[in-house]
Amino acid sequence: MLILAHLSLMIAALLCLTAGAGLALFGRKRKFWLKWHRGFNATGFCLLASAAAMAFAHVTTSGGTHLAGPHQWIGLAAFILTAITLYLGFALLKTANKPRRRRVHRWTGRLSMLAMGAALILGLIMIGVL
């Protein structure tokens, strides 16, 4: 049951983070884009952290090995990259060197989305959907 919660939370997190990235890419002319971008991405990260906790609990209760395959390692990388991206995004509001930090924020965001997509595909292969 925990693995279904993990899957559901991961899908919700990916949708929130994709909506946040979409706002940054296509919604910048709107007055509300930054507020919604931050909201979607913060919510997505909270869902991502909850999904990671569900996966951890599932592996612990089933007696499995943590970080036993590429899905788990790439998922951990996606989690770390998303945390860094979120931190950099909020730090951008109070930083002096905005162009450099903005560039790093954008690239970590791109890498985290790529890692989440790869983890999703590997996870679906693990459960036999693909």
Side-chain angles (χ1 to χ4, degrees):
M1 190 54 120
L2 290 172
I3 206 65
L4 290 176
H6 169 71
L7 177 62
S8 301
L9 288 167
M10 285 303 297
I11 291 170
L14 185 59
L15 289 173
C16 279
L17 293 169
T18 302
L23 274 169
L25 288 172
F26 305 113
R28 289 191 149 183
K29 298 208 186 314
R30 308 262 187 223
K31 190 176 184 178
F32 60 85
W33 85 269
L34 183 59
K35 185 176 183 179
W36 285 30
H37 171 72
R38 289 186 315 196
F40 275 125
N41 287 331
T43 302
F45 180 74
C46 290
L47 290 167
L48 191 67
S50 300
M54 292 298 120
F56 183 84
H58 171 73
V59 172
T60 301
T61 59
S62 67
T65 305
H66 294 284
L67 302 174
H71 167 73
Q72 295 85 351
W73 281 103
I74 293 172
L76 178 62
F79 179 78
I80 292 168
L81 285 166
T82 304
I84 292 169
T85 303
L86 188 67
Y87 169 77
L88 289 171
F90 280 102
L92 266 171
L93 302 173
K94 299 175 184 142
T95 188
N97 190 2
K98 286 189 188 242
R100 182 171 180 220
R101 191 165 291 196
R102 184 177 295 120
R103 189 170 43 253
V104 175
H105 169 71
R106 288 176 179 169
W107 276 104
T108 57
R110 290 171 185 146
L111 290 173
S112 69
M113 293 299 286
L114 183 65
M116 284 184 70
L120 173 67
I121 290 168
L122 290 170
L124 292 176
I125 289 170
M126 273 178 51
I127 63 173
V129 173
L130 294 179

